[in-house]
Amino acid sequence: MKKVLTLVAAAAVLLAACQSEPAKIVAPTTTGAAGSTGALPSDAAAVATERGLSPDDVYAALKTYMPSGKTDPYIMFSSGGQAGQMLVIGVPSMRILKEIAVFTPEPWQGYGFGGSGNKILEGGKVDGKDVLWGDTHHPALSETDGSYDGQFVFINDKANARVAVIDLRDFSTKQIVKNPNAINDHGGSFVTPNSEYVVEGPQYASPIGWKYAPLDQYKDQYRGLITFWAFDRTKGRLDTSKSFQIELPPYWQDLCDAGKKVSDGWVFCNSFNSEMATGGVESGKPPFEAGTTKNDTDYLHIINWKKAAATVQAGKTEMINGMAVIRMKTAIDEGLLYFSPEPKSPHGADVTPGGEFIVVGGKLDPHVTVYSFDKITAAIKAGGLDKDAYGVPVIPLDKAMETQVELGLGPLHTVYDDKGYAYTSLFLDSAVARWTLGGPYADKHPEKPWTLVQKLPVQYNIGHIAAVEGDTATPGGNFVIALNKWSLDRFANVGPLLPQNFQLVDIGKGGDQMKVLYDMPIGMAEPHYAQIIKAERLKPFEVYPALGWDAEKMAVDPNAITTEAQARIERNGTKVEVWMSVIRSHYNPEQVKVKKGDHVIWHLSSLERTRDATHGFALSGYNINLSLEPGKTETIEFDATLPGTFTYYCTEFCSALHLEMLGYFLVEP
Ligand code: K7E
Ligand code: CUA
């Protein structure tokens, strides 16, 4: 007779085993009473023994395994780093669901190979020239009242100061904007609590509008510049005409976070290089790494964006390259810009769920510094503040600080759960620190407020940390993910360039110890930040809502055809226009004949309504490649400069006769 036990009993056995020293996993002797969740076969223990799995390993497997056909409760949107893309990952299974093409052409999605993706990528041109990659850092899901609403996600390109808009109805990029006055960014994207603005904070100071100025004019000519891109939710687009920028001193503004709830209307950014070092190690000056870390403190930037928006309304701006800019002096006079000192090379500024506190990590300090929004506003009201070198009022640290919490070496970023705990990445310690919040969070957990309660080693050099909705007004708990920069000994050797390591961490129900559950190699770039949303908040299309759908405009395309009978070719002088239908398993027409030099406009409409019945369209020799999901229409336009006999064929294995889905494109010399 087969020995069986319920999953619950199995978990109990495993958990008991986990508490003790490494032990062998034994098949339990109880039989019967298999619950509706099914039974665990006795040979599970044999598998564990054969594979050398510890009780902890088996627990981790049970927590992360996703049976075929079941879907994850959480979805992570991760930066795709230097790949310029965005990753979509199921949590806790850690399965990659999609790589969304953003700043870099991507063939599977037909993005940047002749179709509408080309138009979107054009928005990202720098000075009229293609820049076909990006260094993506911080995804920002759109929010309503400080919580994710599942409608859009934004991401920045640090290398070129660009921001992209992805529509979550079809998980594809709709817009890229180039910052007209900044050449790099970092403190973005972050959204204000109702996605009124997408914040793009600056990084390395440079003259506004990418002008030239020698480095000995750094203090006068170089500036920081924070951008507030106005978001039109109905159109799903950033609107430059309603956006604005604020000129800042040339300290290197870093990460930002928007206030929410009690601090709605404010944005907080950390900064480094208040020293205004300009490098020059080659001419005997201190290198940047020394020059930028001389001072004991830098400045937390405290910006009242609602006041800034009113200042723009009142016309107290200067137009620079088509963007309204609030000059630094105006920002100071209007009382919308303040500083407060931050200890030792800060990184990360993370607002607590209710908006009461801002937690700043100090890369060279074992503490995180917790600022109180109440104290900040009281200090501003009291007035009489000293000024920095540029005249910005500075709130003394002791007037703004709630407390400091000693966590360990290299605290960077902080996220939150639903039980009053904060989780901070410790880069130098390679650890996740869990600590208790105070104030209104103190009665959510049993420990003393503002105290470190556990440090979990991770592998290795953790940068960002993500938690389920852990940067919103309504954190979800259950898991955090360590975004580790180094993986060293975690995976099979694939040569000197190693994958990054995303480690899934079980944070339990509050009092339990954190545990690493799963290592996920990211072998395509170095992601920075990620956000995790409850899957139930996402409501994407299954197929495009109507035949002839233009996915860029999110509307029916007037050039679409909706029946095969409408397929045709029309010639007008040297202009040839093709209306092509695409349905299993043929294109119509199957022969397109033009003359060398003709201008070709080619509309392709998928007539499919079946889910997952995607067709491709690859035109040999012309660098054209499209993805035609059910209902989608795409248009390509080109000059037939290369004479010869070409084929176009379907690149998705759509049916048994997929190989027969092709046509001839004849370009007569
Ligand atoms: Cu890598 Cu947020 Cu760009 Cu910190 S940043 S790690
Ligand atoms: Cu259509 Cu293969």
Side-chain angles (χ1 to χ4, degrees), residues 245-261:
Q245 302 181 310
I246 305 173
E247 179 189 18
L248 300 170
Y251 313 142
W252 294 349
Q253 292 78 19
D254 192 29
L255 288 163
C256 303
D257 198 6
K260 49 184 167 261
K261 301 286 176 185

mmCIF file with all atom_site columns, all heavy atoms in Angstrom, residues 245-261:
data_model
loop_
_atom_site.group_PDB
_atom_site.id
_atom_site.type_symbol
_atom_site.label_atom_id
_atom_site.label_alt_id
_atom_site.label_comp_id
_atom_site.label_asym_id
_atom_site.label_entity_id
_atom_site.label_seq_id
_atom_site.pdbx_PDB_ins_code
_atom_site.Cartn_x
_atom_site.Cartn_y
_atom_site.Cartn_z
_atom_site.occupancy
_atom_site.B_iso_or_equiv
_atom_site.pdbx_formal_charge
_atom_site.auth_seq_id
_atom_site.auth_comp_id
_atom_site.auth_asym_id
_atom_site.auth_atom_id
_atom_site.pdbx_PDB_model_num
ATOM 1   N N   . GLN A 1 245 ? 10.001 71.829 -15.460 1.00 0.00 ? 245 GLN A N   1
ATOM 2   C CA  . GLN A 1 245 ? 11.256 71.443 -14.815 1.00 0.00 ? 245 GLN A CA  1
ATOM 3   C C   . GLN A 1 245 ? 11.605 72.470 -13.748 1.00 0.00 ? 245 GLN A C   1
ATOM 4   O O   . GLN A 1 245 ? 11.162 73.610 -13.816 1.00 0.00 ? 245 GLN A O   1
ATOM 5   C CB  . GLN A 1 245 ? 12.387 71.380 -15.850 1.00 0.00 ? 245 GLN A CB  1
ATOM 6   C CG  . GLN A 1 245 ? 12.084 70.400 -16.980 1.00 0.00 ? 245 GLN A CG  1
ATOM 7   C CD  . GLN A 1 245 ? 13.192 70.285 -18.012 1.00 0.00 ? 245 GLN A CD  1
ATOM 8   O OE1 . GLN A 1 245 ? 13.683 71.288 -18.512 1.00 0.00 ? 245 GLN A OE1 1
ATOM 9   N NE2 . GLN A 1 245 ? 13.572 69.058 -18.348 1.00 0.00 ? 245 GLN A NE2 1
ATOM 10  N N   . ILE A 1 246 ? 12.393 72.039 -12.776 1.00 0.00 ? 246 ILE A N   1
ATOM 11  C CA  . ILE A 1 246 ? 12.883 72.967 -11.748 1.00 0.00 ? 246 ILE A CA  1
ATOM 12  C C   . ILE A 1 246 ? 14.409 72.924 -11.754 1.00 0.00 ? 246 ILE A C   1
ATOM 13  O O   . ILE A 1 246 ? 15.014 71.850 -11.651 1.00 0.00 ? 246 ILE A O   1
ATOM 14  C CB  . ILE A 1 246 ? 12.353 72.597 -10.340 1.00 0.00 ? 246 ILE A CB  1
ATOM 15  C CG1 . ILE A 1 246 ? 10.817 72.518 -10.342 1.00 0.00 ? 246 ILE A CG1 1
ATOM 16  C CG2 . ILE A 1 246 ? 12.843 73.612 -9.306  1.00 0.00 ? 246 ILE A CG2 1
ATOM 17  C CD1 . ILE A 1 246 ? 10.231 71.989 -9.035  1.00 0.00 ? 246 ILE A CD1 1
ATOM 18  N N   . GLU A 1 247 ? 15.006 74.100 -11.888 1.00 0.00 ? 247 GLU A N   1
ATOM 19  C CA  . GLU A 1 247 ? 16.471 74.210 -11.858 1.00 0.00 ? 247 GLU A CA  1
ATOM 20  C C   . GLU A 1 247 ? 16.966 74.008 -10.428 1.00 0.00 ? 247 GLU A C   1
ATOM 21  O O   . GLU A 1 247 ? 16.391 74.544 -9.484  1.00 0.00 ? 247 GLU A O   1
ATOM 22  C CB  . GLU A 1 247 ? 16.865 75.611 -12.360 1.00 0.00 ? 247 GLU A CB  1
ATOM 23  C CG  . GLU A 1 247 ? 18.360 75.851 -12.356 1.00 0.00 ? 247 GLU A CG  1
ATOM 24  C CD  . GLU A 1 247 ? 18.708 77.326 -12.639 1.00 0.00 ? 247 GLU A CD  1
ATOM 25  O OE1 . GLU A 1 247 ? 17.833 78.208 -12.496 1.00 0.00 ? 247 GLU A OE1 1
ATOM 26  O OE2 . GLU A 1 247 ? 19.864 77.573 -13.012 1.00 0.00 ? 247 GLU A OE2 1
ATOM 27  N N   . LEU A 1 248 ? 18.014 73.212 -10.288 1.00 0.00 ? 248 LEU A N   1
ATOM 28  C CA  . LEU A 1 248 ? 18.554 72.889 -8.969  1.00 0.00 ? 248 LEU A CA  1
ATOM 29  C C   . LEU A 1 248 ? 20.057 73.159 -8.955  1.00 0.00 ? 248 LEU A C   1
ATOM 30  O O   . LEU A 1 248 ? 20.695 73.217 -10.006 1.00 0.00 ? 248 LEU A O   1
ATOM 31  C CB  . LEU A 1 248 ? 18.307 71.407 -8.644  1.00 0.00 ? 248 LEU A CB  1
ATOM 32  C CG  . LEU A 1 248 ? 16.842 70.935 -8.609  1.00 0.00 ? 248 LEU A CG  1
ATOM 33  C CD1 . LEU A 1 248 ? 16.777 69.412 -8.512  1.00 0.00 ? 248 LEU A CD1 1
ATOM 34  C CD2 . LEU A 1 248 ? 16.088 71.580 -7.454  1.00 0.00 ? 248 LEU A CD2 1
ATOM 35  N N   . PRO A 1 249 ? 20.654 73.279 -7.759  1.00 0.00 ? 249 PRO A N   1
ATOM 36  C CA  . PRO A 1 249 ? 22.105 73.422 -7.695  1.00 0.00 ? 249 PRO A CA  1
ATOM 37  C C   . PRO A 1 249 ? 22.796 72.185 -8.288  1.00 0.00 ? 249 PRO A C   1
ATOM 38  O O   . PRO A 1 249 ? 22.186 71.105 -8.366  1.00 0.00 ? 249 PRO A O   1
ATOM 39  C CB  . PRO A 1 249 ? 22.393 73.519 -6.196  1.00 0.00 ? 249 PRO A CB  1
ATOM 40  C CG  . PRO A 1 249 ? 21.111 73.937 -5.574  1.00 0.00 ? 249 PRO A CG  1
ATOM 41  C CD  . PRO A 1 249 ? 20.036 73.335 -6.419  1.00 0.00 ? 249 PRO A CD  1
ATOM 42  N N   . PRO A 1 250 ? 24.050 72.322 -8.678  1.00 0.00 ? 250 PRO A N   1
ATOM 43  C CA  . PRO A 1 250 ? 24.733 71.213 -9.347  1.00 0.00 ? 250 PRO A CA  1
ATOM 44  C C   . PRO A 1 250 ? 25.233 70.142 -8.375  1.00 0.00 ? 250 PRO A C   1
ATOM 45  O O   . PRO A 1 250 ? 26.378 69.706 -8.456  1.00 0.00 ? 250 PRO A O   1
ATOM 46  C CB  . PRO A 1 250 ? 25.876 71.906 -10.080 1.00 0.00 ? 250 PRO A CB  1
ATOM 47  C CG  . PRO A 1 250 ? 26.204 73.088 -9.253  1.00 0.00 ? 250 PRO A CG  1
ATOM 48  C CD  . PRO A 1 250 ? 24.905 73.539 -8.643  1.00 0.00 ? 250 PRO A CD  1
ATOM 49  N N   . TYR A 1 251 ? 24.395 69.789 -7.402  1.00 0.00 ? 251 TYR A N   1
ATOM 50  C CA  . TYR A 1 251 ? 24.665 68.603 -6.586  1.00 0.00 ? 251 TYR A CA  1
ATOM 51  C C   . TYR A 1 251 ? 24.075 67.461 -7.405  1.00 0.00 ? 251 TYR A C   1
ATOM 52  O O   . TYR A 1 251 ? 23.144 67.671 -8.165  1.00 0.00 ? 251 TYR A O   1
ATOM 53  C CB  . TYR A 1 251 ? 23.965 68.709 -5.229  1.00 0.00 ? 251 TYR A CB  1
ATOM 54  C CG  . TYR A 1 251 ? 24.154 70.039 -4.530  1.00 0.00 ? 251 TYR A CG  1
ATOM 55  C CD1 . TYR A 1 251 ? 23.123 70.644 -3.808  1.00 0.00 ? 251 TYR A CD1 1
ATOM 56  C CD2 . TYR A 1 251 ? 25.389 70.709 -4.604  1.00 0.00 ? 251 TYR A CD2 1
ATOM 57  C CE1 . TYR A 1 251 ? 23.300 71.862 -3.171  1.00 0.00 ? 251 TYR A CE1 1
ATOM 58  C CE2 . TYR A 1 251 ? 25.569 71.938 -3.965  1.00 0.00 ? 251 TYR A CE2 1
ATOM 59  C CZ  . TYR A 1 251 ? 24.524 72.507 -3.263  1.00 0.00 ? 251 TYR A CZ  1
ATOM 60  O OH  . TYR A 1 251 ? 24.685 73.713 -2.639  1.00 0.00 ? 251 TYR A OH  1
ATOM 61  N N   . TRP A 1 252 ? 24.576 66.299 -7.240  1.00 0.00 ? 252 TRP A N   1
ATOM 62  C CA  . TRP A 1 252 ? 24.064 65.210 -8.078  1.00 0.00 ? 252 TRP A CA  1
ATOM 63  C C   . TRP A 1 252 ? 22.831 64.598 -7.437  1.00 0.00 ? 252 TRP A C   1
ATOM 64  O O   . TRP A 1 252 ? 22.932 63.728 -6.569  1.00 0.00 ? 252 TRP A O   1
ATOM 65  C CB  . TRP A 1 252 ? 25.157 64.161 -8.297  1.00 0.00 ? 252 TRP A CB  1
ATOM 66  C CG  . TRP A 1 252 ? 26.303 64.694 -9.107  1.00 0.00 ? 252 TRP A CG  1
ATOM 67  C CD1 . TRP A 1 252 ? 26.350 65.871 -9.795  1.00 0.00 ? 252 TRP A CD1 1
ATOM 68  C CD2 . TRP A 1 252 ? 27.569 64.063 -9.311  1.00 0.00 ? 252 TRP A CD2 1
ATOM 69  N NE1 . TRP A 1 252 ? 27.564 66.020 -10.424 1.00 0.00 ? 252 TRP A NE1 1
ATOM 70  C CE2 . TRP A 1 252 ? 28.331 64.917 -10.145 1.00 0.00 ? 252 TRP A CE2 1
ATOM 71  C CE3 . TRP A 1 252 ? 28.117 62.861 -8.881  1.00 0.00 ? 252 TRP A CE3 1
ATOM 72  C CZ2 . TRP A 1 252 ? 29.630 64.602 -10.541 1.00 0.00 ? 252 TRP A CZ2 1
ATOM 73  C CZ3 . TRP A 1 252 ? 29.410 62.545 -9.274  1.00 0.00 ? 252 TRP A CZ3 1
ATOM 74  C CH2 . TRP A 1 252 ? 30.150 63.408 -10.107 1.00 0.00 ? 252 TRP A CH2 1
ATOM 75  N N   . GLN A 1 253 ? 21.671 65.085 -7.878  1.00 0.00 ? 253 GLN A N   1
ATOM 76  C CA  . GLN A 1 253 ? 20.421 64.543 -7.361  1.00 0.00 ? 253 GLN A CA  1
ATOM 77  C C   . GLN A 1 253 ? 20.324 63.081 -7.799  1.00 0.00 ? 253 GLN A C   1
ATOM 78  O O   . GLN A 1 253 ? 20.727 62.726 -8.903  1.00 0.00 ? 253 GLN A O   1
ATOM 79  C CB  . GLN A 1 253 ? 19.233 65.348 -7.892  1.00 0.00 ? 253 GLN A CB  1
ATOM 80  C CG  . GLN A 1 253 ? 19.175 66.772 -7.340  1.00 0.00 ? 253 GLN A CG  1
ATOM 81  C CD  . GLN A 1 253 ? 20.148 67.719 -8.019  1.00 0.00 ? 253 GLN A CD  1
ATOM 82  O OE1 . GLN A 1 253 ? 20.622 67.450 -9.117  1.00 0.00 ? 253 GLN A OE1 1
ATOM 83  N NE2 . GLN A 1 253 ? 20.468 68.830 -7.368  1.00 0.00 ? 253 GLN A NE2 1
ATOM 84  N N   . ASP A 1 254 ? 19.797 62.274 -6.907  1.00 0.00 ? 254 ASP A N   1
ATOM 85  C CA  . ASP A 1 254 ? 19.845 60.823 -7.144  1.00 0.00 ? 254 ASP A CA  1
ATOM 86  C C   . ASP A 1 254 ? 18.424 60.289 -7.164  1.00 0.00 ? 254 ASP A C   1
ATOM 87  O O   . ASP A 1 254 ? 17.624 60.709 -7.987  1.00 0.00 ? 254 ASP A O   1
ATOM 88  C CB  . ASP A 1 254 ? 20.729 60.220 -6.048  1.00 0.00 ? 254 ASP A CB  1
ATOM 89  C CG  . ASP A 1 254 ? 21.125 58.791 -6.288  1.00 0.00 ? 254 ASP A CG  1
ATOM 90  O OD1 . ASP A 1 254 ? 21.226 58.375 -7.449  1.00 0.00 ? 254 ASP A OD1 1
ATOM 91  O OD2 . ASP A 1 254 ? 21.354 58.068 -5.295  1.00 0.00 ? 254 ASP A OD2 1
ATOM 92  N N   . LEU A 1 255 ? 18.065 59.413 -6.256  1.00 0.00 ? 255 LEU A N   1
ATOM 93  C CA  . LEU A 1 255 ? 16.742 58.811 -6.314  1.00 0.00 ? 255 LEU A CA  1
ATOM 94  C C   . LEU A 1 255 ? 15.702 59.687 -5.653  1.00 0.00 ? 255 LEU A C   1
ATOM 95  O O   . LEU A 1 255 ? 15.978 60.364 -4.678  1.00 0.00 ? 255 LEU A O   1
ATOM 96  C CB  . LEU A 1 255 ? 16.786 57.451 -5.631  1.00 0.00 ? 255 LEU A CB  1
ATOM 97  C CG  . LEU A 1 255 ? 17.545 56.472 -6.517  1.00 0.00 ? 255 LEU A CG  1
ATOM 98  C CD1 . LEU A 1 255 ? 17.973 55.268 -5.746  1.00 0.00 ? 255 LEU A CD1 1
ATOM 99  C CD2 . LEU A 1 255 ? 16.664 56.065 -7.664  1.00 0.00 ? 255 LEU A CD2 1
ATOM 100 N N   . CYS A 1 256 ? 14.512 59.645 -6.199  1.00 0.00 ? 256 CYS A N   1
ATOM 101 C CA  . CYS A 1 256 ? 13.405 60.435 -5.660  1.00 0.00 ? 256 CYS A CA  1
ATOM 102 C C   . CYS A 1 256 ? 12.282 59.493 -5.253  1.00 0.00 ? 256 CYS A C   1
ATOM 103 O O   . CYS A 1 256 ? 12.233 58.340 -5.665  1.00 0.00 ? 256 CYS A O   1
ATOM 104 C CB  . CYS A 1 256 ? 12.869 61.396 -6.714  1.00 0.00 ? 256 CYS A CB  1
ATOM 105 S SG  . CYS A 1 256 ? 14.103 62.523 -7.383  1.00 0.00 ? 256 CYS A SG  1
ATOM 106 N N   . ASP A 1 257 ? 11.373 59.992 -4.462  1.00 0.00 ? 257 ASP A N   1
ATOM 107 C CA  . ASP A 1 257 ? 10.128 59.293 -4.180  1.00 0.00 ? 257 ASP A CA  1
ATOM 108 C C   . ASP A 1 257 ? 9.087  60.364 -3.900  1.00 0.00 ? 257 ASP A C   1
ATOM 109 O O   . ASP A 1 257 ? 9.403  61.405 -3.316  1.00 0.00 ? 257 ASP A O   1
ATOM 110 C CB  . ASP A 1 257 ? 10.281 58.350 -2.979  1.00 0.00 ? 257 ASP A CB  1
ATOM 111 C CG  . ASP A 1 257 ? 9.170  57.302 -2.923  1.00 0.00 ? 257 ASP A CG  1
ATOM 112 O OD1 . ASP A 1 257 ? 8.355  57.236 -3.870  1.00 0.00 ? 257 ASP A OD1 1
ATOM 113 O OD2 . ASP A 1 257 ? 9.116  56.548 -1.933  1.00 0.00 ? 257 ASP A OD2 1
ATOM 114 N N   . ALA A 1 258 ? 7.877  60.115 -4.358  1.00 0.00 ? 258 ALA A N   1
ATOM 115 C CA  . ALA A 1 258 ? 6.812  61.087 -4.138  1.00 0.00 ? 258 ALA A CA  1
ATOM 116 C C   . ALA A 1 258 ? 6.206  60.856 -2.767  1.00 0.00 ? 258 ALA A C   1
ATOM 117 O O   . ALA A 1 258 ? 6.026  59.715 -2.341  1.00 0.00 ? 258 ALA A O   1
ATOM 118 C CB  . ALA A 1 258 ? 5.746  60.935 -5.220  1.00 0.00 ? 258 ALA A CB  1
ATOM 119 N N   . GLY A 1 259 ? 5.880  61.947 -2.091  1.00 0.00 ? 259 GLY A N   1
ATOM 120 C CA  . GLY A 1 259 ? 5.114  61.838 -0.867  1.00 0.00 ? 259 GLY A CA  1
ATOM 121 C C   . GLY A 1 259 ? 3.743  61.279 -1.200  1.00 0.00 ? 259 GLY A C   1
ATOM 122 O O   . GLY A 1 259 ? 3.301  61.317 -2.348  1.00 0.00 ? 259 GLY A O   1
ATOM 123 N N   . LYS A 1 260 ? 3.061  60.712 -0.201  1.00 0.00 ? 260 LYS A N   1
ATOM 124 C CA  . LYS A 1 260 ? 1.697  60.232 -0.412  1.00 0.00 ? 260 LYS A CA  1
ATOM 125 C C   . LYS A 1 260 ? 0.914  60.395 0.881   1.00 0.00 ? 260 LYS A C   1
ATOM 126 O O   . LYS A 1 260 ? 1.504  60.644 1.938   1.00 0.00 ? 260 LYS A O   1
ATOM 127 C CB  . LYS A 1 260 ? 1.693  58.783 -0.898  1.00 0.00 ? 260 LYS A CB  1
ATOM 128 C CG  . LYS A 1 260 ? 2.540  57.827 -0.094  1.00 0.00 ? 260 LYS A CG  1
ATOM 129 C CD  . LYS A 1 260 ? 2.518  56.445 -0.739  1.00 0.00 ? 260 LYS A CD  1
ATOM 130 C CE  . LYS A 1 260 ? 3.571  55.528 -0.198  1.00 0.00 ? 260 LYS A CE  1
ATOM 131 N NZ  . LYS A 1 260 ? 4.756  55.434 -1.024  1.00 0.00 ? 260 LYS A NZ  1
ATOM 132 N N   . LYS A 1 261 ? -0.382 60.262 0.785   1.00 0.00 ? 261 LYS A N   1
ATOM 133 C CA  . LYS A 1 261 ? -1.259 60.449 1.951   1.00 0.00 ? 261 LYS A CA  1
ATOM 134 C C   . LYS A 1 261 ? -0.895 61.766 2.655   1.00 0.00 ? 261 LYS A C   1
ATOM 135 O O   . LYS A 1 261 ? -1.015 62.813 2.057   1.00 0.00 ? 261 LYS A O   1
ATOM 136 C CB  . LYS A 1 261 ? -1.161 59.247 2.904   1.00 0.00 ? 261 LYS A CB  1
ATOM 137 C CG  . LYS A 1 261 ? -1.538 57.925 2.238   1.00 0.00 ? 261 LYS A CG  1
ATOM 138 C CD  . LYS A 1 261 ? -3.019 57.819 2.020   1.00 0.00 ? 261 LYS A CD  1
ATOM 139 C CE  . LYS A 1 261 ? -3.380 56.551 1.266   1.00 0.00 ? 261 LYS A CE  1
ATOM 140 N NZ  . LYS A 1 261 ? -4.778 56.462 0.931   1.00 0.00 ? 261 LYS A NZ  1
#
